[in-house]
């Protein structure tokens, strides 16, 4: 049996291997995705973002357990950073999701960012597509959470949950990084701590600032805008003590209902599809460029720039000449 | 294309020390591997499920409790149940020399004592993965 058929039939090992192929961008992985693509578009993809240590993994583990009460299956993708020095990575999110292991309805996969900025890996989108195609109705994506530039998760998720923790000064950080603008739900985790209420208040004030002042600030390209019709709730959870989870699950379900009834689900699908085609366009273009330009000519251009014979923009334009003459 | 060696470092059993396992996990990361670290007190099912879902190339078990002769066969059995019995498994920790041949007879590819130099472990993993 082909691996895709096996995975569709519920073979988890086949799925695990397909995920590896897709993550590595192998031709087999590409082919599997192309075959399975018509089956995608059904899963509710929930992004979980926020600073390291806020409790994202712990919360994802508990949330998964709660969601599993009503869903037959659920997948988790957790991204951790790749070390820029060694290219290796320590993927430790499983550590916080121990209760899930006995549940074969949950499939959890760790991914390294592999040098990709933006809080998710280059292949996270494809991994999510594969899980969607296989039939997971809910997919939780935990981002790296390294401060800024976490906004990319908004390009793959329908619902973005921003997790904050008290006493980390995160509110300001989140504002700067444009995180609050992509958040559909904000969670103050570690609500067992007394400082949590202060954090909630700071976030409420910050949210008010965004919705009244409108859009300016971060120079990050925003695929989405602050939308009318959905008021970003600020919830409190204590993931370690199983507190606040029911309300969070309800808020996520409410957000989904809102997306569907407002027509925003379709709009998001369109935006995501566009972002995806653009990404592939860039990727294919880069490959084409590498092929047409070649390392030798690139190196020669760099030398010319170093000798101050050419400015970088002109050098780059000249490198592209062979592409136009076809 | 971007292939990385993926390693599961698991700490089965009830003993509460994972310093050694963490040192190994970091050393493998520094050698360019992707290391899935699952923490303390892993049951055989947890180890096998993590190995399955993460599609790792190799599994390292850190066992200090002395329960290796009880734990290892159960873990190997859980791996087999999931059709991943062919995964190379190595064991690190405090293992009496007398038990080493028995573990290898069960299917463990190598046993590393507490003083093992991490470079030799890295070399070993490359060897078994690329074989
Ligand atoms: N006090 C408290 N600690 C928590 C809570 N949730 C998570 N933690 C702890 O916060 C630390 C970081 O959690 P983790 O889930 O790994 O955070 P992540 O880096 O955002 O994924 C761990 O030590 C958790 O046990 C909570 O609700 N209350
Ligand atoms: Mg985490």
């Amino acid at each position: 049996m082909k691996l895709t058929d096996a995975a569709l039939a519920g073979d988890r090992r086949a799925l695990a291997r397909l995920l590896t192929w897709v993550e590595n961008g192998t031709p087999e992985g590409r082919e599997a995705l192309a075959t399975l693509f018509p089956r995608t578009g059904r899963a509710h993809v929930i992004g979980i973002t926020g600073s390291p240590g806020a409790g994202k993994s712990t919360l994802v583990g508990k949330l998964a357990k709660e969601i599993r009460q009503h869903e037959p299956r659920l997948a988790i993708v957790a991204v951790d950073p790749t070390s820029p020095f060694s290219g290796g990575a320590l993927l430790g999110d499983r550590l916080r999701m121990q209760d899930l292991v006995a549940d074969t309805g949950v499939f959890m996969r760790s991914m390294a960012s592999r040098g990709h900025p933006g809080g998710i890996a280059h292949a996270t989108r494809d991994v999510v597509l594969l899980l969607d195609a296989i039939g997971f109705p809910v997919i939780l994506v935990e981002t790296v959470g390294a401060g800024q530039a976490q906004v990319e998760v908004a390009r793959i998720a329908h619902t973005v949950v921003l997790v904050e923790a008290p006493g980390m000064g995160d509110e300001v950080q989140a504002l700067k990084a444009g995180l609050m603008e992509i958040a559909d739900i904000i969670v103050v985790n570690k609500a067992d701590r007394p400082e949590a209420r202060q954090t909630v208040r700071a976030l409420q004030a910050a949210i008010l600032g965004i919705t009244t002042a409108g859009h300016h600030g971060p120079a990050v390209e925003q695929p989405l805008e602050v939308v009318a019709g959905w008021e970003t709730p600020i919830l409190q959870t204590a993931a370690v003590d199983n507190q606040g989870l029911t309300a969070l699950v309800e808020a996520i379900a409410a957000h989904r209902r809102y997306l569907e009834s407002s027509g925003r689900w379709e709009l998001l699908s369109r935006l995501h599809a566009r972002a995806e085609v653009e990404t592939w366009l860039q990727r294919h273009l880069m490959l084409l460029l590498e092929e047409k330009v070649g390392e030798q000519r690139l190196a020669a251009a760099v030398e010319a720039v170093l000798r101050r014979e050419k400015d970088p923009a002109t050098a780059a334009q000249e490198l592209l000449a062979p592409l136009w003459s076809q | 294309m971007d292939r990385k060696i993926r390693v599961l470092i698991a700490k089965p059993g009830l003993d509460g020390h994972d310093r050694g396992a963490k040192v190994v996990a970091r050393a493998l990361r520094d050698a360019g591997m992707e290391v899935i670290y699952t923490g303390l007190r892993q049951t055989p099912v947890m180890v096998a499920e993590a190995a399955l879902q993460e599609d790792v190339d190799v599994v390292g078990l850190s066992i200090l409790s002395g329960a290796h002769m009880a734990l290892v066969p159960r873990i190997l059995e859980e791996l087999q149940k999931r059709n991943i019995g062919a995964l190379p498994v190595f064991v690190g920790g405090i293992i009496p020399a007398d038990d080493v041949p028995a573990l290898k007879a069960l299917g463990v590819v190598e046993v590393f004592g507490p003083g093992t130099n991490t470079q030799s472990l890295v070399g070993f993993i490359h060897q078994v993965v690329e074989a």
Side-chain angles (χ1 to χ4, degrees), chain A residues 61-82:
Chain A
K62 303 290 182 159
L63 197 56
K65 222 174 166 183
E66 194 75 21
I67 294 174
R68 272 281 289 127
Q69 314 273 323
H70 348 267
E71 296 286 358
R73 285 204 284 175
L74 176 143
I76 300 169
V77 180
V79 189
D80 272 323
T82 289

mmCIF file with all atom_site columns, all heavy atoms in Angstrom, chain A residues 61-82:
data_model
loop_
_atom_site.group_PDB
_atom_site.id
_atom_site.type_symbol
_atom_site.label_atom_id
_atom_site.label_alt_id
_atom_site.label_comp_id
_atom_site.label_asym_id
_atom_site.label_entity_id
_atom_site.label_seq_id
_atom_site.pdbx_PDB_ins_code
_atom_site.Cartn_x
_atom_site.Cartn_y
_atom_site.Cartn_z
_atom_site.occupancy
_atom_site.B_iso_or_equiv
_atom_site.pdbx_formal_charge
_atom_site.auth_seq_id
_atom_site.auth_comp_id
_atom_site.auth_asym_id
_atom_site.auth_atom_id
_atom_site.pdbx_PDB_model_num
ATOM 1   N N   . GLY A 1 61 ? -1.141  21.208 25.853 1.00 0.00 ? 61 GLY A N   1
ATOM 2   C CA  . GLY A 1 61 ? -1.410  19.855 26.339 1.00 0.00 ? 61 GLY A CA  1
ATOM 3   C C   . GLY A 1 61 ? -2.779  19.755 26.994 1.00 0.00 ? 61 GLY A C   1
ATOM 4   O O   . GLY A 1 61 ? -3.561  18.841 26.720 1.00 0.00 ? 61 GLY A O   1
ATOM 5   N N   . LYS A 1 62 ? -3.086  20.711 27.838 1.00 0.00 ? 62 LYS A N   1
ATOM 6   C CA  . LYS A 1 62 ? -4.372  20.696 28.556 1.00 0.00 ? 62 LYS A CA  1
ATOM 7   C C   . LYS A 1 62 ? -5.529  20.986 27.600 1.00 0.00 ? 62 LYS A C   1
ATOM 8   O O   . LYS A 1 62 ? -6.596  20.381 27.700 1.00 0.00 ? 62 LYS A O   1
ATOM 9   C CB  . LYS A 1 62 ? -4.370  21.753 29.659 1.00 0.00 ? 62 LYS A CB  1
ATOM 10  C CG  . LYS A 1 62 ? -3.247  21.609 30.652 1.00 0.00 ? 62 LYS A CG  1
ATOM 11  C CD  . LYS A 1 62 ? -3.440  20.396 31.537 1.00 0.00 ? 62 LYS A CD  1
ATOM 12  C CE  . LYS A 1 62 ? -2.301  20.324 32.548 1.00 0.00 ? 62 LYS A CE  1
ATOM 13  N NZ  . LYS A 1 62 ? -2.608  19.525 33.712 1.00 0.00 ? 62 LYS A NZ  1
ATOM 14  N N   . LEU A 1 63 ? -5.281  21.911 26.707 1.00 0.00 ? 63 LEU A N   1
ATOM 15  C CA  . LEU A 1 63 ? -6.302  22.296 25.733 1.00 0.00 ? 63 LEU A CA  1
ATOM 16  C C   . LEU A 1 63 ? -6.642  21.100 24.840 1.00 0.00 ? 63 LEU A C   1
ATOM 17  O O   . LEU A 1 63 ? -7.819  20.831 24.560 1.00 0.00 ? 63 LEU A O   1
ATOM 18  C CB  . LEU A 1 63 ? -5.718  23.431 24.886 1.00 0.00 ? 63 LEU A CB  1
ATOM 19  C CG  . LEU A 1 63 ? -6.653  24.288 24.068 1.00 0.00 ? 63 LEU A CG  1
ATOM 20  C CD1 . LEU A 1 63 ? -7.712  24.910 24.953 1.00 0.00 ? 63 LEU A CD1 1
ATOM 21  C CD2 . LEU A 1 63 ? -5.837  25.386 23.361 1.00 0.00 ? 63 LEU A CD2 1
ATOM 22  N N   . ALA A 1 64 ? -5.626  20.394 24.449 1.00 0.00 ? 64 ALA A N   1
ATOM 23  C CA  . ALA A 1 64 ? -5.830  19.231 23.586 1.00 0.00 ? 64 ALA A CA  1
ATOM 24  C C   . ALA A 1 64 ? -6.723  18.218 24.296 1.00 0.00 ? 64 ALA A C   1
ATOM 25  O O   . ALA A 1 64 ? -7.653  17.654 23.710 1.00 0.00 ? 64 ALA A O   1
ATOM 26  C CB  . ALA A 1 64 ? -4.481  18.602 23.232 1.00 0.00 ? 64 ALA A CB  1
ATOM 27  N N   . LYS A 1 65 ? -6.451  18.022 25.559 1.00 0.00 ? 65 LYS A N   1
ATOM 28  C CA  . LYS A 1 65 ? -7.229  17.064 26.332 1.00 0.00 ? 65 LYS A CA  1
ATOM 29  C C   . LYS A 1 65 ? -8.699  17.479 26.393 1.00 0.00 ? 65 LYS A C   1
ATOM 30  O O   . LYS A 1 65 ? -9.603  16.669 26.231 1.00 0.00 ? 65 LYS A O   1
ATOM 31  C CB  . LYS A 1 65 ? -6.658  16.983 27.749 1.00 0.00 ? 65 LYS A CB  1
ATOM 32  C CG  . LYS A 1 65 ? -6.595  15.565 28.252 1.00 0.00 ? 65 LYS A CG  1
ATOM 33  C CD  . LYS A 1 65 ? -5.902  15.461 29.566 1.00 0.00 ? 65 LYS A CD  1
ATOM 34  C CE  . LYS A 1 65 ? -6.181  14.101 30.151 1.00 0.00 ? 65 LYS A CE  1
ATOM 35  N NZ  . LYS A 1 65 ? -5.594  13.955 31.476 1.00 0.00 ? 65 LYS A NZ  1
ATOM 36  N N   . GLU A 1 66 ? -8.892  18.757 26.602 1.00 0.00 ? 66 GLU A N   1
ATOM 37  C CA  . GLU A 1 66 ? -10.247 19.310 26.691 1.00 0.00 ? 66 GLU A CA  1
ATOM 38  C C   . GLU A 1 66 ? -10.962 19.194 25.334 1.00 0.00 ? 66 GLU A C   1
ATOM 39  O O   . GLU A 1 66 ? -12.114 18.773 25.268 1.00 0.00 ? 66 GLU A O   1
ATOM 40  C CB  . GLU A 1 66 ? -10.111 20.775 27.118 1.00 0.00 ? 66 GLU A CB  1
ATOM 41  C CG  . GLU A 1 66 ? -11.380 21.430 27.585 1.00 0.00 ? 66 GLU A CG  1
ATOM 42  C CD  . GLU A 1 66 ? -11.808 20.988 28.974 1.00 0.00 ? 66 GLU A CD  1
ATOM 43  O OE1 . GLU A 1 66 ? -10.964 20.490 29.759 1.00 0.00 ? 66 GLU A OE1 1
ATOM 44  O OE2 . GLU A 1 66 ? -13.013 21.133 29.268 1.00 0.00 ? 66 GLU A OE2 1
ATOM 45  N N   . ILE A 1 67 ? -10.270 19.550 24.282 1.00 0.00 ? 67 ILE A N   1
ATOM 46  C CA  . ILE A 1 67 ? -10.896 19.523 22.952 1.00 0.00 ? 67 ILE A CA  1
ATOM 47  C C   . ILE A 1 67 ? -11.230 18.091 22.545 1.00 0.00 ? 67 ILE A C   1
ATOM 48  O O   . ILE A 1 67 ? -12.226 17.838 21.868 1.00 0.00 ? 67 ILE A O   1
ATOM 49  C CB  . ILE A 1 67 ? -9.977  20.206 21.902 1.00 0.00 ? 67 ILE A CB  1
ATOM 50  C CG1 . ILE A 1 67 ? -9.842  21.696 22.205 1.00 0.00 ? 67 ILE A CG1 1
ATOM 51  C CG2 . ILE A 1 67 ? -10.525 20.016 20.482 1.00 0.00 ? 67 ILE A CG2 1
ATOM 52  C CD1 . ILE A 1 67 ? -8.853  22.441 21.327 1.00 0.00 ? 67 ILE A CD1 1
ATOM 53  N N   . ARG A 1 68 ? -10.404 17.166 22.985 1.00 0.00 ? 68 ARG A N   1
ATOM 54  C CA  . ARG A 1 68 ? -10.630 15.763 22.650 1.00 0.00 ? 68 ARG A CA  1
ATOM 55  C C   . ARG A 1 68 ? -11.936 15.218 23.220 1.00 0.00 ? 68 ARG A C   1
ATOM 56  O O   . ARG A 1 68 ? -12.410 14.161 22.791 1.00 0.00 ? 68 ARG A O   1
ATOM 57  C CB  . ARG A 1 68 ? -9.444  14.915 23.134 1.00 0.00 ? 68 ARG A CB  1
ATOM 58  C CG  . ARG A 1 68 ? -8.345  14.823 22.116 1.00 0.00 ? 68 ARG A CG  1
ATOM 59  C CD  . ARG A 1 68 ? -8.653  13.809 21.017 1.00 0.00 ? 68 ARG A CD  1
ATOM 60  N NE  . ARG A 1 68 ? -8.588  12.445 21.520 1.00 0.00 ? 68 ARG A NE  1
ATOM 61  C CZ  . ARG A 1 68 ? -9.559  11.556 21.390 1.00 0.00 ? 68 ARG A CZ  1
ATOM 62  N NH1 . ARG A 1 68 ? -10.677 11.871 20.771 1.00 0.00 ? 68 ARG A NH1 1
ATOM 63  N NH2 . ARG A 1 68 ? -9.406  10.335 21.869 1.00 0.00 ? 68 ARG A NH2 1
ATOM 64  N N   . GLN A 1 69 ? -12.521 15.921 24.183 1.00 0.00 ? 69 GLN A N   1
ATOM 65  C CA  . GLN A 1 69 ? -13.823 15.489 24.699 1.00 0.00 ? 69 GLN A CA  1
ATOM 66  C C   . GLN A 1 69 ? -14.885 15.518 23.608 1.00 0.00 ? 69 GLN A C   1
ATOM 67  O O   . GLN A 1 69 ? -15.825 14.768 23.634 1.00 0.00 ? 69 GLN A O   1
ATOM 68  C CB  . GLN A 1 69 ? -14.301 16.407 25.841 1.00 0.00 ? 69 GLN A CB  1
ATOM 69  C CG  . GLN A 1 69 ? -13.279 16.743 26.888 1.00 0.00 ? 69 GLN A CG  1
ATOM 70  C CD  . GLN A 1 69 ? -13.241 15.707 27.987 1.00 0.00 ? 69 GLN A CD  1
ATOM 71  O OE1 . GLN A 1 69 ? -14.273 15.176 28.361 1.00 0.00 ? 69 GLN A OE1 1
ATOM 72  N NE2 . GLN A 1 69 ? -12.057 15.400 28.489 1.00 0.00 ? 69 GLN A NE2 1
ATOM 73  N N   . HIS A 1 70 ? -14.710 16.451 22.635 1.00 0.00 ? 70 HIS A N   1
ATOM 74  C CA  . HIS A 1 70 ? -15.722 16.525 21.577 1.00 0.00 ? 70 HIS A CA  1
ATOM 75  C C   . HIS A 1 70 ? -15.186 16.199 20.199 1.00 0.00 ? 70 HIS A C   1
ATOM 76  O O   . HIS A 1 70 ? -15.943 16.208 19.246 1.00 0.00 ? 70 HIS A O   1
ATOM 77  C CB  . HIS A 1 70 ? -16.389 17.908 21.501 1.00 0.00 ? 70 HIS A CB  1
ATOM 78  C CG  . HIS A 1 70 ? -16.111 18.829 22.643 1.00 0.00 ? 70 HIS A CG  1
ATOM 79  N ND1 . HIS A 1 70 ? -16.944 18.903 23.721 1.00 0.00 ? 70 HIS A ND1 1
ATOM 80  C CD2 . HIS A 1 70 ? -15.092 19.667 22.889 1.00 0.00 ? 70 HIS A CD2 1
ATOM 81  C CE1 . HIS A 1 70 ? -16.446 19.779 24.588 1.00 0.00 ? 70 HIS A CE1 1
ATOM 82  N NE2 . HIS A 1 70 ? -15.325 20.247 24.104 1.00 0.00 ? 70 HIS A NE2 1
ATOM 83  N N   . GLU A 1 71 ? -13.904 15.995 20.048 1.00 0.00 ? 71 GLU A N   1
ATOM 84  C CA  . GLU A 1 71 ? -13.372 15.733 18.715 1.00 0.00 ? 71 GLU A CA  1
ATOM 85  C C   . GLU A 1 71 ? -12.739 14.349 18.680 1.00 0.00 ? 71 GLU A C   1
ATOM 86  O O   . GLU A 1 71 ? -12.070 13.949 19.621 1.00 0.00 ? 71 GLU A O   1
ATOM 87  C CB  . GLU A 1 71 ? -12.316 16.782 18.336 1.00 0.00 ? 71 GLU A CB  1
ATOM 88  C CG  . GLU A 1 71 ? -12.827 18.202 18.209 1.00 0.00 ? 71 GLU A CG  1
ATOM 89  C CD  . GLU A 1 71 ? -13.649 18.439 16.942 1.00 0.00 ? 71 GLU A CD  1
ATOM 90  O OE1 . GLU A 1 71 ? -13.799 17.487 16.131 1.00 0.00 ? 71 GLU A OE1 1
ATOM 91  O OE2 . GLU A 1 71 ? -14.144 19.565 16.784 1.00 0.00 ? 71 GLU A OE2 1
ATOM 92  N N   . PRO A 1 72 ? -12.945 13.626 17.568 1.00 0.00 ? 72 PRO A N   1
ATOM 93  C CA  . PRO A 1 72 ? -12.411 12.264 17.495 1.00 0.00 ? 72 PRO A CA  1
ATOM 94  C C   . PRO A 1 72 ? -10.884 12.226 17.429 1.00 0.00 ? 72 PRO A C   1
ATOM 95  O O   . PRO A 1 72 ? -10.264 11.284 17.895 1.00 0.00 ? 72 PRO A O   1
ATOM 96  C CB  . PRO A 1 72 ? -13.005 11.713 16.196 1.00 0.00 ? 72 PRO A CB  1
ATOM 97  C CG  . PRO A 1 72 ? -13.340 12.923 15.372 1.00 0.00 ? 72 PRO A CG  1
ATOM 98  C CD  . PRO A 1 72 ? -13.700 13.995 16.355 1.00 0.00 ? 72 PRO A CD  1
ATOM 99  N N   . ARG A 1 73 ? -10.306 13.265 16.847 1.00 0.00 ? 73 ARG A N   1
ATOM 100 C CA  . ARG A 1 73 ? -8.849  13.294 16.696 1.00 0.00 ? 73 ARG A CA  1
ATOM 101 C C   . ARG A 1 73 ? -8.350  14.718 16.783 1.00 0.00 ? 73 ARG A C   1
ATOM 102 O O   . ARG A 1 73 ? -9.089  15.652 16.521 1.00 0.00 ? 73 ARG A O   1
ATOM 103 C CB  . ARG A 1 73 ? -8.438  12.724 15.330 1.00 0.00 ? 73 ARG A CB  1
ATOM 104 C CG  . ARG A 1 73 ? -8.554  11.222 15.251 1.00 0.00 ? 73 ARG A CG  1
ATOM 105 C CD  . ARG A 1 73 ? -7.633  10.682 14.182 1.00 0.00 ? 73 ARG A CD  1
ATOM 106 N NE  . ARG A 1 73 ? -8.147  10.918 12.849 1.00 0.00 ? 73 ARG A NE  1
ATOM 107 C CZ  . ARG A 1 73 ? -7.460  10.622 11.740 1.00 0.00 ? 73 ARG A CZ  1
ATOM 108 N NH1 . ARG A 1 73 ? -6.243  10.131 11.829 1.00 0.00 ? 73 ARG A NH1 1
ATOM 109 N NH2 . ARG A 1 73 ? -7.984  10.853 10.561 1.00 0.00 ? 73 ARG A NH2 1
ATOM 110 N N   . LEU A 1 74 ? -7.089  14.837 17.078 1.00 0.00 ? 74 LEU A N   1
ATOM 111 C CA  . LEU A 1 74 ? -6.492  16.164 17.186 1.00 0.00 ? 74 LEU A CA  1
ATOM 112 C C   . LEU A 1 74 ? -4.992  16.044 16.936 1.00 0.00 ? 74 LEU A C   1
ATOM 113 O O   . LEU A 1 74 ? -4.371  15.056 17.343 1.00 0.00 ? 74 LEU A O   1
ATOM 114 C CB  . LEU A 1 74 ? -6.767  16.718 18.579 1.00 0.00 ? 74 LEU A CB  1
ATOM 115 C CG  . LEU A 1 74 ? -6.146  18.063 18.953 1.00 0.00 ? 74 LEU A CG  1
ATOM 116 C CD1 . LEU A 1 74 ? -7.131  18.849 19.822 1.00 0.00 ? 74 LEU A CD1 1
ATOM 117 C CD2 . LEU A 1 74 ? -4.856  17.882 19.729 1.00 0.00 ? 74 LEU A CD2 1
ATOM 118 N N   . ALA A 1 75 ? -4.428  17.029 16.247 1.00 0.00 ? 75 ALA A N   1
ATOM 119 C CA  . ALA A 1 75 ? -2.984  17.013 16.012 1.00 0.00 ? 75 ALA A CA  1
ATOM 120 C C   . ALA A 1 75 ? -2.342  18.253 16.604 1.00 0.00 ? 75 ALA A C   1
ATOM 121 O O   . ALA A 1 75 ? -2.965  19.312 16.697 1.00 0.00 ? 75 ALA A O   1
ATOM 122 C CB  . ALA A 1 75 ? -2.691  16.943 14.514 1.00 0.00 ? 75 ALA A CB  1
ATOM 123 N N   . ILE A 1 76 ? -1.105  18.086 17.032 1.00 0.00 ? 76 ILE A N   1
ATOM 124 C CA  . ILE A 1 76 ? -0.332  19.191 17.591 1.00 0.00 ? 76 ILE A CA  1
ATOM 125 C C   . ILE A 1 76 ? 0.985   19.294 16.822 1.00 0.00 ? 76 ILE A C   1
ATOM 126 O O   . ILE A 1 76 ? 1.636   18.273 16.583 1.00 0.00 ? 76 ILE A O   1
ATOM 127 C CB  . ILE A 1 76 ? -0.016  18.951 19.085 1.00 0.00 ? 76 ILE A CB  1
ATOM 128 C CG1 . ILE A 1 76 ? -1.303  18.814 19.898 1.00 0.00 ? 76 ILE A CG1 1
ATOM 129 C CG2 . ILE A 1 76 ? 0.875   20.057 19.647 1.00 0.00 ? 76 ILE A CG2 1
ATOM 130 C CD1 . ILE A 1 76 ? -1.066  18.317 21.317 1.00 0.00 ? 76 ILE A CD1 1
ATOM 131 N N   . VAL A 1 77 ? 1.349   20.503 16.453 1.00 0.00 ? 77 VAL A N   1
ATOM 132 C CA  . VAL A 1 77 ? 2.665   20.744 15.868 1.00 0.00 ? 77 VAL A CA  1
ATOM 133 C C   . VAL A 1 77 ? 3.327   21.789 16.740 1.00 0.00 ? 77 VAL A C   1
ATOM 134 O O   . VAL A 1 77 ? 2.772   22.873 16.936 1.00 0.00 ? 77 VAL A O   1
ATOM 135 C CB  . VAL A 1 77 ? 2.548   21.290 14.425 1.00 0.00 ? 77 VAL A CB  1
ATOM 136 C CG1 . VAL A 1 77 ? 3.923   21.535 13.834 1.00 0.00 ? 77 VAL A CG1 1
ATOM 137 C CG2 . VAL A 1 77 ? 1.734   20.348 13.545 1.00 0.00 ? 77 VAL A CG2 1
ATOM 138 N N   . ALA A 1 78 ? 4.462   21.470 17.311 1.00 0.00 ? 78 ALA A N   1
ATOM 139 C CA  . ALA A 1 78 ? 5.134   22.425 18.193 1.00 0.00 ? 78 ALA A CA  1
ATOM 140 C C   . ALA A 1 78 ? 6.508   22.750 17.622 1.00 0.00 ? 78 ALA A C   1
ATOM 141 O O   . ALA A 1 78 ? 7.304   21.845 17.368 1.00 0.00 ? 78 ALA A O   1
ATOM 142 C CB  . ALA A 1 78 ? 5.259   21.848 19.603 1.00 0.00 ? 78 ALA A CB  1
ATOM 143 N N   . VAL A 1 79 ? 6.755   24.027 17.428 1.00 0.00 ? 79 VAL A N   1
ATOM 144 C CA  . VAL A 1 79 ? 8.011   24.448 16.806 1.00 0.00 ? 79 VAL A CA  1
ATOM 145 C C   . VAL A 1 79 ? 8.956   25.012 17.866 1.00 0.00 ? 79 VAL A C   1
ATOM 146 O O   . VAL A 1 79 ? 8.545   25.819 18.698 1.00 0.00 ? 79 VAL A O   1
ATOM 147 C CB  . VAL A 1 79 ? 7.762   25.515 15.716 1.00 0.00 ? 79 VAL A CB  1
ATOM 148 C CG1 . VAL A 1 79 ? 9.038   25.793 14.928 1.00 0.00 ? 79 VAL A CG1 1
ATOM 149 C CG2 . VAL A 1 79 ? 6.642   25.080 14.772 1.00 0.00 ? 79 VAL A CG2 1
ATOM 150 N N   . ASP A 1 80 ? 10.187  24.574 17.837 1.00 0.00 ? 80 ASP A N   1
ATOM 151 C CA  . ASP A 1 80 ? 11.225  25.097 18.715 1.00 0.00 ? 80 ASP A CA  1
ATOM 152 C C   . ASP A 1 80 ? 12.378  25.601 17.849 1.00 0.00 ? 80 ASP A C   1
ATOM 153 O O   . ASP A 1 80 ? 12.523  25.180 16.708 1.00 0.00 ? 80 ASP A O   1
ATOM 154 C CB  . ASP A 1 80 ? 11.729  23.998 19.664 1.00 0.00 ? 80 ASP A CB  1
ATOM 155 C CG  . ASP A 1 80 ? 10.902  23.910 20.941 1.00 0.00 ? 80 ASP A CG  1
ATOM 156 O OD1 . ASP A 1 80 ? 10.483  24.967 21.434 1.00 0.00 ? 80 ASP A OD1 1
ATOM 157 O OD2 . ASP A 1 80 ? 10.674  22.795 21.422 1.00 0.00 ? 80 ASP A OD2 1
ATOM 158 N N   . PRO A 1 81 ? 13.207  26.494 18.411 1.00 0.00 ? 81 PRO A N   1
ATOM 159 C CA  . PRO A 1 81 ? 14.245  27.092 17.565 1.00 0.00 ? 81 PRO A CA  1
ATOM 160 C C   . PRO A 1 81 ? 15.407  26.151 17.242 1.00 0.00 ? 81 PRO A C   1
ATOM 161 O O   . PRO A 1 81 ? 15.807  25.330 18.066 1.00 0.00 ? 81 PRO A O   1
ATOM 162 C CB  . PRO A 1 81 ? 14.748  28.267 18.408 1.00 0.00 ? 81 PRO A CB  1
ATOM 163 C CG  . PRO A 1 81 ? 14.403  27.918 19.811 1.00 0.00 ? 81 PRO A CG  1
ATOM 164 C CD  . PRO A 1 81 ? 13.169  27.067 19.759 1.00 0.00 ? 81 PRO A CD  1
ATOM 165 N N   . THR A 1 82 ? 15.909  26.296 16.043 1.00 0.00 ? 82 THR A N   1
ATOM 166 C CA  . THR A 1 82 ? 17.138  25.621 15.641 1.00 0.00 ? 82 THR A CA  1
ATOM 167 C C   . THR A 1 82 ? 18.313  26.487 16.076 1.00 0.00 ? 82 THR A C   1
ATOM 168 O O   . THR A 1 82 ? 18.264  27.708 15.937 1.00 0.00 ? 82 THR A O   1
ATOM 169 C CB  . THR A 1 82 ? 17.147  25.447 14.108 1.00 0.00 ? 82 THR A CB  1
ATOM 170 O OG1 . THR A 1 82 ? 16.175  24.464 13.764 1.00 0.00 ? 82 THR A OG1 1
ATOM 171 C CG2 . THR A 1 82 ? 18.509  25.008 13.598 1.00 0.00 ? 82 THR A CG2 1
#
